[in-house]
Amino acid sequence: MFSPRSRYELVPVGLILGFLLPIIFHILHRAYPTMGFAKVNTPIVLAYVGILSVGISPSMLSSFIIGFASQFWLRRWKPDLFVKYNHVLAAALDGGTQILVFLLIYTVLGGVGPEIKFHVYWGNNAEGNSNYCMRDPGTAGVVAGP
């Protein structure tokens, strides 16, 4: 099941990376304590890297932008509120982004009915690939879904 050239061949590699990456950052933190390597949360980074490989990826950019802007502003200008409400704000913004992406996928992008076509402009690709990623040529004839 996890052997080379099987469907789940990268699962053992992910387990090894998930074990080694925190150790590498711990060693870097011990060697350079002022560089901020102790602040890198590798489980969260690896979880989001795993999410990038499936589904619709523009929601990830929205999450990063909203999260960075809100956390940066709150930490810099309102540190007392940051300490008190950091987790609540982060969960609310992340949950709101995920709910909006869910609603867009199922109502507008054709998840449970006909897709609603948008006008073509700089943010809406004419070929329909909304995240401007290069498509895998190996899946040219593959149809996803029922």
Side-chain angles (χ1 to χ4, degrees), residues 40-112:
V40 176
N41 193 332
T42 52
I44 291 177
V45 171
L46 291 175
Y48 275 93
V49 167
I51 291 173
L52 284 174
S53 64
V54 296
I56 186 164
S57 59
S59 65
M60 295 302 297
L61 180 61
S62 301
S63 292
F64 287 140
I65 290 172
I66 291 170
F68 178 77
S70 66
Q71 297 295 313
F72 180 77
W73 180 83
L74 200 62
R75 177 175 270 188
R76 174 167 265 190
W77 301 111
K78 304 283 185 186
D80 52 334
L81 290 177
F82 178 81
V83 170
K84 192 171 185 180
Y85 297 113
N86 177 34
H87 291 91
V88 175
L89 177 67
L93 290 172
D94 189 39
T97 302
Q98 291 179 9
I99 288 171
L100 285 175
V101 168
F102 177 78
L103 290 174
L104 278 174
I105 288 172
Y106 283 101
T107 58
V108 178
L109 299 176
V112 290

Side-chain angles (χ1 to χ4, degrees), residues 129 133-142:
N129 190 358
C133 292
M134 188 174 102
R135 293 183 187 251
D136 183 9
T139 61
V142 177

